[in-house]
Amino acid sequence: MNMATDYCGSGDTLDEQEDLVISNSSAETQQFDIVIGHIEEIIMEENFQHLQATFMEKYYGEFEDSEENKLVYTDMFIEYNNLIETYLQQSLSHRITGFCMADFVRQLSSSPSTLEGEVFEILLSFSDFMAFKEMMLDFKAQKEGRIVDFSSGMSITAMSSSVPLGTEMQL
């Protein structure tokens, strides 16, 4: 993320901050989890979904599923990063007093192997060009009807006694 270069500390040097982080690791983990929780809420909100979909709608036609990457993809990647980072920064700053994107990015990059889920895929799409390209190609496949929807043939059978046996619910 571009904002990782910003420094939001209280005037302490980076070494002093690292010492503080080591002694306060559980508090930092808790703060990190709070930020992730807010990001999960933000990315599920209609405004974020609309922002992201509008961007993908604008550019999905440019992407091709090939090993070669067009130069224009880089410009789109930078535009996407700026758009989403700015939105997240503003949203998180409204929700969390004293939020610092640089601190969050540092925390995020310190434990990438333990991060899973949709929120981390979104965050990965900022810093990893191939994740961004994959997201755009998935959107293109969806728009072109090349993704099969398996949910239409599913049914759920209740296992509790509150619903009569043999009753099925269609999705």
Side-chain angles (χ1 to χ4, degrees):
M1 292 183 169
N2 295 337
M3 295 188 189
T5 57
D6 293 344
Y7 177 69
C8 307
S10 60
D12 297 335
T13 66
L14 289 177
D15 289 336
E16 290 170 338
Q17 277 195 334
E18 287 174 10
D19 291 341
L20 181 62
V21 167
I22 291 168
S23 66
N24 245 350
S25 62
S26 64
E28 184 163 311
T29 300
Q30 184 179 13
Q31 182 64 24
F32 180 79
D33 291 344
I34 290 169
V35 173
I36 292 299
H38 283 294
I39 291 174
E40 287 174 340
E41 291 171 4
I42 292 166
I43 66 174
M44 297 307 291
E45 291 173 352
E46 189 175 324
N47 288 341
F48 180 85
Q49 295 292 319
H50 178 72
L51 181 73
Q52 189 177 42
T54 300
F55 178 88
M56 291 190 292
E57 187 73 41
K58 181 178 176 183
Y59 292 118
Y60 80 88
E62 300 284 335
F63 284 81
E64 297 173 5
D65 193 4
S66 68
E67 294 292 320
E68 188 176 327
N69 294 314
K70 297 178 182 178
L71 186 57
V72 70
Y73 295 173
T74 303
D75 294 334
M76 292 174 200
F77 179 59
I78 291 168
E79 182 180 342
Y80 177 77
N81 282 340
N82 290 335
L83 179 72
I84 301 299
E85 282 181 22
T86 300
Y87 186 86
L88 283 177
Q89 172 76 37
Q90 291 172 349
S91 297
L92 289 167
S93 293
H94 282 85
R95 294 169 186 238
I96 303 170
T97 305
F99 173 74
C100 177
M101 184 64 89
D103 289 345
F104 174 70
V105 171
R106 181 184 46 74
Q107 290 173 319
L108 187 63
S109 62
S110 69
S111 58
S113 62
T114 61
L115 309 176
E116 296 179 0
E118 184 179 353
V119 68
F120 298 109
E121 289 175 21
I122 298 267
L123 294 173
L124 185 60
S125 72
F126 304 150
S127 60
D128 183 330
F129 172 77
M130 293 309 291
F132 167 76
K133 182 179 176 184
E134 177 88 17
M135 178 186 72
M136 294 300 292
L137 289 171
D138 287 348
F139 185 81
K140 181 177 183 174
Q142 178 185 7
K143 293 296 283 184
E144 295 176 350
R146 293 184 284 128
I147 294 180
V148 179
D149 181 8
F150 292 108
S151 67
S152 63
M154 295 178 65
S155 65
I156 299 173
T157 303
M159 298 299 290
S160 73
S161 60
S162 63
V163 177
L165 289 176
T167 303
E168 292 186 1
M169 299 168 40
Q170 294 294 323
L171 292 178

